[in-house]
């Protein structure tokens, strides 16, 4: 079993059990075992399903490449709970929906939701889409302001821009050298950009 799937199923099994409802465990078992994508998709559209059930259905649809999961996964990518964001990013990376990169770029660059931008940033790096480098540059530029509290997001941008190795990132990575928390990662990132060694 995929490590991300194992972590997700253990977490959601515990959430279902915590409700104290025998029915919840039955629903969990059914959703975890079914091969019927229509049954999973119905969980995303029918009212009354708890968040853990919707997340399990969306994740399973996403890794199966079923685009009916897209909207639910994007909402989960922007959730306040980091494990939900990580699972959604994992599924979105495998979904193959052309809207994914644009959605991730929008979330990564939304200053009102920057506290939740870490997983959208990482997803953009994994996707290597045309939107990836411009969104990471924009997000990192904003994180270089004095006393910015979102250093994990800034570091993910620096590392991601190094992974992508695009020369457009050189100016903002050079600016990141002035920030002690980012300097070492910025040196490594610049070394991966042609002409910056």
């Amino acid at each position: 079993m995929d490590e991300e799937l194992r972590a997700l199923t253990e977490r959601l099994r515990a959430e279902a059990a915590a409700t104290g409802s025998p029915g919840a465990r039955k629903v969990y078992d059914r959703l975890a075992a079914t091969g019927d994508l229509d049954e999973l998709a119905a969980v995303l559209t029918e009212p009354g399903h708890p968040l853990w059930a919707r997340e399990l259905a969306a994740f399973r649809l996403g890794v199966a490449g079923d685009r009916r999961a897209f909207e639910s996964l994007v909402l989960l990518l922007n959730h306040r709970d980091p494990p939900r964001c990580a699972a959604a990013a994992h599924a979105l990376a495998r979904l193959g929906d052309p809207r994914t990169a644009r959605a991730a770029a929008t979330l990564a660059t939304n200053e009102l939701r920057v506290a939740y931008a870490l997983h959208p940033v990482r997803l953009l790096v994994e996707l290597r889409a045309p939107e990836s480098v411009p969104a990471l540059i924009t997000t990192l530029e904003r994180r270089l302001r004095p006393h910015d509290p979102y250093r994990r997001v800034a570091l993910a941008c620096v590392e991601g821009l190094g992974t992508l190795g695009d020369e457009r990132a050189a100016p903002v990575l050079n600016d990141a050298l002035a920030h002690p928390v980012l300097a070492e990662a910025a040196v490594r990132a610049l070394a991966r950009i042609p002409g910056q060694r």
Side-chain angles (χ1 to χ4, degrees):
M1 185 190 293
D2 179 287
E3 188 57 40
E4 193 69 39
L5 177 58
R6 180 182 287 108
L8 174 120
T9 53
E10 289 175 359
R11 175 170 55 81
L12 298 185
R13 183 185 295 118
E15 286 186 32
T19 66
S21 163
R25 181 57 193 261
K26 287 180 183 175
V27 170
Y28 170 85
D29 288 341
R30 191 181 79 244
L31 294 177
T34 186
D36 184 347
L37 298 183
D38 290 336
E39 181 180 2
L40 293 170
V43 173
L44 303 181
T45 56
E46 294 169 352
H49 289 287
L51 180 57
W52 60 261
R54 293 179 184 278
E55 182 180 359
L56 180 56
F59 183 91
R60 294 204 57 218
L61 286 167
V63 297
D66 190 314
R67 293 182 181 177
R68 290 177 288 182
F70 176 76
E71 288 83 2
S72 296
L73 288 171
V74 169
L75 288 172
L76 289 164
L77 181 64
N78 196 33
H79 198 274
R80 66 181 177 274
D81 184 8
R84 294 199 200 282
C85 300
H90 180 87
L92 281 164
R94 284 141 190 84
L95 180 60
D97 192 303
R99 300 170 291 175
T100 299
R102 189 167 60 250
T106 299
L107 293 176
T109 57
N110 182 348
E111 279 297 283
L112 298 176
R113 302 290 292 173
V114 67
Y116 310 107
L118 182 62
H119 292 287
V121 164
R122 289 177 176 165
L123 176 58
L124 284 166
V125 177
E126 188 170 357
L127 293 173
R128 294 179 172 266
E131 296 89 344
S132 297
V133 170
L136 266 60
I137 289 172
T138 297
T139 303
L140 180 56
E141 284 172 343
R142 294 170 179 170
R143 305 283 64 81
L144 297 180
R145 297 172 186 151
H147 313 297
D148 185 87
Y150 303 109
R151 286 300 179 213
R152 288 186 68 207
V153 174
L155 187 59
C157 289
V158 170
E159 292 170 347
L161 289 168
T163 298
L164 295 172
D166 191 300
E167 62 186 15
R168 292 173 293 173
V172 73
L173 289 172
N174 277 301
D175 290 345
L177 293 171
H179 296 258
V181 176
L182 304 175
E184 188 177 331
V187 168
R188 288 195 301 269
L190 283 163
R192 298 179 76 174
I193 296 176
Q196 295 298 313
R197 292 179 179 79

